[in-house]
Amino acid sequence: MKITFLGTGTSCGVPMPTCQCPVCKSTDPRDNRLRASVLIETDDGNNILIDCGPDFRQQALRADIKKLDALLITHIHFDHCAGLDDLRAYSFRNSLNTYAEDSVAETFIKHYDYIFVHRYPGVPSVDLHRISPTDVIKVGNNEIVPIRVFHGKLPILGYRIGPLAYITDCTGIADEDWKKLEGIDTLILDALRWHPHPTHWTVEQAMEAVRRIKPRHTYFTHMSHEIGLHQEVNQRLDDDVELAYDGLIINV
């Protein structure tokens, strides 16, 4: 399984407009972060996209994405789903199977009326599947298990695909869903910054979760400019934990 980090930034991205901090002015390309999203290429040839934010078109061109077989949505915040219209090129021939919770699906239908209700030629063709944390999603030969995560008070979804788990925008995991993370090889986890935030884990809180889950390796994502410079922060992290960066490709 091949994972490409399309974006590893928070809702404002990095650099953040108007900011003159060392991270936003950094010349290290690893400090430039588009909105968070990953592409998973499975061993049986399926391309699974997790989240589709406002930078998706740029990300798709940069990563040379030729096809998509499924889209998994974590939650309704627009830094994770505002790129839905850019799926046109990936759904001309076949509808794109898209998986989201019921509340997310209802918001999609409301905000994207021209895609789901009053359609016209050329709009994305999206086959919307409503899911819950008790479901198992099947894409090709791959079983995908949703994980109940809390983004502050907002219930959202993380996902486990075989040995990989992806959790973003997190301040907690449902008590009954920690067991879904047992035995994973690779964890991709939200770590916004060092000081507290009401709807995201700090770096220290994320490392506490890593110590509980015990994956072989962890990559932090959804990072703000306040986390610090990539090269310096990596030296402060636990063993087998590192910051992801846009364009990073790993194999699991």
Side-chain angles (χ1 to χ4, degrees), residues 67 111 125 150 243-244 251:
K67 67 166 186 136
H111 285 282
S125 180
F150 296 99
L243 303 187
N251 289 286

mmCIF file of all heavy atoms in Angstrom, residues 67 111 125 150 243-244 251:
data_model
loop_
_atom_site.group_PDB
_atom_site.id
_atom_site.type_symbol
_atom_site.label_atom_id
_atom_site.label_comp_id
_atom_site.label_asym_id
_atom_site.label_seq_id
_atom_site.Cartn_x
_atom_site.Cartn_y
_atom_site.Cartn_z
ATOM 1 N N LYS A 67 -6.571 8.611 -11.514
ATOM 2 C CA LYS A 67 -7.916 8.103 -11.288
ATOM 3 C C LYS A 67 -8.192 8.068 -9.801
ATOM 4 O O LYS A 67 -7.281 8.082 -8.971
ATOM 5 C CB LYS A 67 -8.098 6.702 -11.875
ATOM 6 C CG LYS A 67 -7.262 5.635 -11.150
ATOM 7 C CD LYS A 67 -7.707 4.236 -11.518
ATOM 8 C CE LYS A 67 -6.957 3.202 -10.659
ATOM 9 N NZ LYS A 67 -7.788 2.172 -10.135
ATOM 10 N N HIS A 111 -25.482 22.208 0.179
ATOM 11 C CA HIS A 111 -24.515 23.166 -0.364
ATOM 12 C C HIS A 111 -24.161 22.875 -1.820
ATOM 13 O O HIS A 111 -23.725 23.786 -2.542
ATOM 14 C CB HIS A 111 -23.250 23.178 0.486
ATOM 15 C CG HIS A 111 -23.418 23.891 1.783
ATOM 16 N ND1 HIS A 111 -23.415 25.263 1.881
ATOM 17 C CD2 HIS A 111 -23.611 23.435 3.041
ATOM 18 C CE1 HIS A 111 -23.574 25.619 3.146
ATOM 19 N NE2 HIS A 111 -23.708 24.530 3.869
ATOM 20 N N SER A 125 -20.050 13.511 -10.887
ATOM 21 C CA SER A 125 -20.995 12.432 -10.635
ATOM 22 C C SER A 125 -20.539 11.699 -9.386
ATOM 23 O O SER A 125 -19.522 11.010 -9.392
ATOM 24 C CB SER A 125 -21.041 11.478 -11.835
ATOM 25 O OG SER A 125 -21.951 10.426 -11.604
ATOM 26 N N PHE A 150 -13.445 12.630 18.032
ATOM 27 C CA PHE A 150 -14.097 13.867 18.442
ATOM 28 C C PHE A 150 -13.193 15.058 18.126
ATOM 29 O O PHE A 150 -12.037 15.120 18.553
ATOM 30 C CB PHE A 150 -14.440 13.822 19.927
ATOM 31 C CG PHE A 150 -15.446 12.756 20.245
ATOM 32 C CD1 PHE A 150 -15.040 11.533 20.744
ATOM 33 C CD2 PHE A 150 -16.793 12.967 19.983
ATOM 34 C CE1 PHE A 150 -15.969 10.535 21.007
ATOM 35 C CE2 PHE A 150 -17.733 11.973 20.239
ATOM 36 C CZ PHE A 150 -17.318 10.762 20.755
ATOM 37 N N LEU A 243 7.194 14.370 11.585
ATOM 38 C CA LEU A 243 6.236 15.198 10.874
ATOM 39 C C LEU A 243 6.142 14.732 9.427
ATOM 40 O O LEU A 243 7.163 14.500 8.774
ATOM 41 C CB LEU A 243 6.666 16.672 10.880
ATOM 42 C CG LEU A 243 6.887 17.364 12.223
ATOM 43 C CD1 LEU A 243 7.128 18.858 11.985
ATOM 44 C CD2 LEU A 243 5.726 17.147 13.171
ATOM 45 N N ALA A 244 4.935 14.599 8.933
ATOM 46 C CA ALA A 244 4.750 14.397 7.497
ATOM 47 C C ALA A 244 4.959 15.738 6.795
ATOM 48 O O ALA A 244 5.036 16.788 7.428
ATOM 49 C CB ALA A 244 3.365 13.850 7.218
ATOM 50 N N ASN A 251 5.402 3.659 2.009
ATOM 51 C CA ASN A 251 4.812 2.356 1.703
ATOM 52 C C ASN A 251 4.552 1.617 3.004
ATOM 53 O O ASN A 251 5.395 1.587 3.904
ATOM 54 C CB ASN A 251 5.746 1.548 0.814
ATOM 55 C CG ASN A 251 5.823 2.111 -0.583
ATOM 56 O OD1 ASN A 251 4.899 1.968 -1.380
ATOM 57 N ND2 ASN A 251 6.932 2.778 -0.902
#
